């Protein structure tokens, strides 16, 4: 018979392998955790669960910002009378009165939230020459309409079916099946209010005789569409979870939410300890995502080497996927913290179609932008756009349009007063006072207050993509 030898013992006591053993006391940011030979003593149990609940709360905040943002958007629209059969609009353009994440002041917007559980299958007639899209209540892309959609800018009828719809589907529509009953609809008409007024939203049951479309102009209305940064954030998420099919929630986020007590069909009733921890988690997570947003460490955010201009889609993918298929969690949190809505046409626009965005909160020295100083931004000649460009200033607290005496903190190519220099370049000025003779090229800022800027290109051309054209840095004066 073959001989079987005993393996030599290299010595595997816990005392000789500190990498797998637990000391009697572990000092942590959550307090000291005491153990008896690796077994947790009562204080370690309390601190351990406090730490775990805090970490889970932070994870939920960072991963669920898209959903909380849509709940807040819907709540804000409902507060001013925009329901599923009303199109809220910004005519002629958005002012700094409403708090809306990085809204621009040039495009004629229309928006509403569908209610497929109440209205049933719903038709949207998208206007021609538009850039429209729909996101579900988790802010996942559902459909593009208009230039980037299947109607190719000619306008078309889109039929949105509720989750689980089993009925007949009539012909003559672009059929869309969102995962949630409520979806955010953003209509952007490039030919202004005249184009937007061609939009229609109505239940399929009324398609034979659609009712007159109701529009509500909220361009000058003060209301809030921005999610909370405290315990209330988790109540916003619970509203979403309880109002939508459980299948709309992916297993990973469902597990994180369940760990803090948010479960479909069950009341969310945290005790005082858990409320305090979740409130702290939301505040910490807000600080983390602001750091990720304005001081990212991922080099993929930066558009050019040595530049402060950042691209909110580091992988140019609207689902925030890397080339290897990994979810870029930081990028997803960053984008949805300061912007609303995503689509392929925004993340990876084709030449001459869609739109591109870059942003910064720093000047050319790396210092944060401060409203009491003067700055300039030079856009070289030949700005590569088919449609128009804009430079817009925002409040870093609200991530909404910067509120000053001017309700439209923007310089853009749609204004006939904006002047180019003799060499063809356009210089945008920032500061509390206007440079003489350059008032039309000036954006007012507020002393003692920070700000950040977004450069938008609608219909970006080849020189943007090959980077033969690039914007200058923001230079302190």
């Amino acid at each position: 018979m073959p001989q079987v030898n005993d393996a030599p013992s290299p010595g595997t006591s816990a005392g000789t392998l500190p990498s797998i053993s637990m000391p009697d006391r572990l000092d942590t940011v959550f307090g000291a955790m005491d153990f008896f030979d690796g077994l947790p003593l009562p204080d370690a149990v309390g601190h351990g669960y406090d730490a775990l609940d805090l970490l889970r709360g932070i994870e939920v905040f960072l991963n669920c910002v898209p959903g909380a943002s849509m709940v807040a958007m819907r709540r804000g629209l409902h507060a001013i009378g925009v329901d599923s059969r009303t199109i809220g609009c910004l005519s002629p353009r958005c002012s700094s009165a409403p708090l809306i994440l990085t809204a621009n002041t040039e495009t004629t917007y229309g928006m509403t939230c569908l209610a497929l559980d109440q209205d049933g299958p719903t038709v949207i007639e998208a206007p021609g020459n538009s850039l429209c899209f729909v996101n579900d209540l988790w802010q996942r892309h559902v459909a593009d309409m208009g230039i980037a959609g299947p109607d190719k800018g000619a306008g078309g009828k889109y039929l949105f079916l509720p989750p689980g719809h089993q009925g007949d589907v009539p012909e003559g529509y672009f059929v869309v099946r969102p995962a949630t009953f409520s979806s955010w609809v953003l209509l952007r008409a490039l030919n202004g209010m005249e184009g937007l007024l061609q939009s229609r939203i109505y239940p399929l049951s009324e398609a034979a005789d659609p009712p007159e479309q109701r529009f509500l102009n909220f361009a000058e209305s003060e209301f809030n569409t921005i999610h909370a940064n405290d315990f209330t954030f988790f109540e916003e998420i619970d509203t979403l979870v309880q109002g939508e099919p459980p299948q709309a929630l992916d297993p990973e986020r469902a597990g994180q939410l369940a760990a803090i007590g948010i479960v479909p069909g069950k009341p969310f009733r945290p005790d005082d300890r858990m409320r305090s921890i979740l409130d702290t988690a939301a505040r910490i997570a807000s600080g983390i995502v602001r750091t990720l947003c304005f001081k990212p460490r991922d080099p993929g955010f930066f558009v050019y080497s040595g530049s402060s201009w950042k691209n909110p889609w580091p992988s140019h993918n609207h689902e925030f996927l890397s080339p290897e298929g990994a979810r870029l969690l930081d990028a997803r949190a960053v984008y949805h913290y300061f912007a609303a809505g995503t689509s392929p046409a925004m993340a990876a626009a084709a030449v001459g179609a869609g739109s591109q965005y870059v942003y910064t909160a720093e000047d050319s020295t790396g210092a944060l932008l401060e409203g009491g100083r003067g700055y300039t931004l030079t856009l070289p000649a030949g700005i590569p756009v088919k449609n128009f460009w804009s430079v817009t200033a925002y409040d870093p607290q609200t991530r909404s349009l910067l509120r000053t005496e001017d309700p439209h903190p923007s310089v853009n190519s749609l204004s006939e007063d904006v002047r180019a220099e003799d060499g063809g370049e356009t210089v945008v000025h920032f500061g509390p006072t206007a440079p003489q003779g350059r008032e039309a090229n000036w954006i007012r800022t507020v002393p003692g207050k920070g700000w950040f800027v977004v450069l938008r290109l609608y219909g970006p051309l080849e020189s943007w993509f090959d980077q033969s054209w690039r914007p200058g840095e923001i230079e302190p004066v």
Side-chain angles (χ1 to χ4, degrees):
M1 294 181 64
Q3 184 178 0
V4 178
N5 298 318
D6 293 331
S9 175
T12 57
S13 69
T16 60
L17 288 178
S19 65
I20 65 170
S21 64
M22 174 62 67
D24 288 340
R25 166 158 287 203
L26 183 65
D27 291 318
T28 77
V29 295
F30 308 105
M33 300 176 69
D34 294 316
F35 298 83
F36 166 65
D37 199 24
L39 301 174
L41 296 176
D43 69 318
V45 174
H47 290 318
Y49 282 118
D50 285 350
L52 181 61
D53 290 337
L54 178 64
L55 293 173
R56 288 271 166 75
I58 292 171
E59 289 177 344
V60 165
F61 187 104
L62 294 176
N63 290 331
C64 295
V65 160
S69 184
M70 285 291 94
V71 169
M73 175 68 75
R74 183 179 62 183
R75 182 181 62 228
L77 292 174
H78 284 179
I80 58 170
V82 177
D83 57 23
S84 61
R85 301 192 184 197
T86 303
I87 296 175
C89 58
L90 293 157
S91 177
R93 54 184 180 148
C94 189
S95 75
S96 57
L99 295 181
I100 302 174
L101 292 175
T102 51
N104 74 52
T105 63
E106 293 73 52
T107 307
T108 301
Y109 283 122
M111 62 180 73
T112 191
C113 289
L114 300 180
L116 301 180
D117 52 344
Q118 301 172 27
D119 299 336
T122 298
V123 177
I124 298 180
E125 295 185 14
N129 193 28
S130 65
L131 287 168
C132 310
F133 63 83
V134 179
N135 282 184
D136 73 10
L137 211 61
W138 281 105
Q139 215 165 155
R140 295 171 297 209
H141 177 256
V142 172
D144 280 302
M145 304 180 294
I147 293 171
D151 67 271
K152 305 299 183 183
K157 293 183 178 182
Y158 291 76
L159 177 59
F160 289 79
L161 300 176
H165 178 77
Q166 299 294 325
D168 294 335
V169 179
E171 297 182 353
Y173 298 94
F174 299 110
V175 178
V176 185
R177 295 178 180 269
T180 57
F181 293 115
S182 184
S183 289
W184 184 53
V185 181
L186 183 68
L187 307 167
R188 296 180 292 179
L190 299 184
N191 54 346
M193 195 63 190
E194 180 182 355
L196 185 64
L197 290 174
Q198 305 305 310
S199 306
R200 295 287 183 274
I201 298 178
Y202 50 86
L204 178 64
S205 60
E206 300 177 13
D209 185 21
E212 182 178 354
Q213 182 62 53
R214 179 172 180 253
F215 292 87
L216 190 154
N217 185 11
F218 59 81
E220 305 293 335
S221 301
E222 290 195 18
F223 65 101
N224 179 32
T225 69
I226 300 172
H227 66 78
N229 289 322
D230 58 14
F231 172 78
T232 313
F233 175 94
F234 300 99
E235 295 179 320
E236 292 169 338
I237 290 298
D238 185 59
T239 297
L240 191 167
V241 169
Q242 303 308 332
E244 297 296 342
Q247 297 79 12
L249 183 59
D250 62 271
E252 193 72 19
R253 277 193 283 208
Q256 292 177 345
L257 290 168
I260 63 168
I262 298 177
V263 179
K266 296 184 179 181
F268 175 49
R269 294 173 181 165
D271 58 21
D272 290 344
R273 168 192 159 275
M274 193 65 171
R275 285 180 68 95
S276 177
I277 287 176
L278 292 179
D279 184 75
T280 300
R283 297 176 191 278
I284 292 174
S286 174
I288 291 172
V289 73
R290 288 172 182 271
T291 300
L292 292 171
C293 180
F294 296 113
K295 289 288 187 178
R297 62 183 179 182
D298 179 356
F301 273 93
F302 295 91
V303 184
Y304 314 101
S305 176
S307 171
S308 72
W309 288 110
K310 302 165 190 70
N311 170 21
W313 289 280
S315 63
H316 303 283
N317 182 282
H318 72 285
E319 295 182 312
F320 306 97
L321 297 176
S322 73
E324 297 75 30
R327 184 85 65 196
L328 302 178
L329 299 177
D330 291 353
R332 182 177 65 184
V334 163
Y335 177 81
H336 290 296
Y337 195 72
F338 83 92
T342 184
S343 81
M346 298 163 68
V351 174
S355 51
Q356 289 282 277
Y357 309 80
V358 292
Y359 72 98
T360 186
E362 302 168 85
D363 67 20
S364 60
T365 72
L368 296 174
L369 300 174
E370 199 280 313
R373 299 194 61 180
Y375 303 86
T376 61
L377 166 63
T378 299
L379 303 177
I383 300 173
V385 290
K386 178 181 178 181
N387 299 315
F388 65 90
W389 60 265
S390 69
V391 174
T392 309
Y394 295 94
D395 183 331
Q397 288 286 8
T398 66
R399 291 92 71 205
S400 301
L401 290 167
L402 186 66
R403 286 182 169 177
T404 69
E405 295 176 19
D406 180 0
H408 306 107
S410 172
V411 170
N412 58 80
S413 60
L414 297 179
S415 171
E416 297 179 355
D417 297 326
V418 173
R419 296 175 53 183
E421 303 298 314
D422 291 341
E425 69 273 14
T426 300
V427 179
V428 180
H429 300 261
F430 307 88
T433 57
Q436 188 173 3
R438 291 292 185 271
E439 290 82 0
N441 288 46
W442 166 62
I443 297 176
R444 183 191 295 269
T445 58
V446 181
K449 183 164 188 55
W451 54 280
F452 69 99
V453 65
V454 175
L455 167 64
R456 290 178 170 86
L457 306 176
Y458 285 89
L461 301 179
E462 182 62 35
S463 60
W464 169 258
F465 294 101
D466 66 19
Q467 298 191 355
S468 57
W469 184 95
R470 60 179 281 184
E473 299 298 303
I474 296 180
E475 300 291 345
V477 177

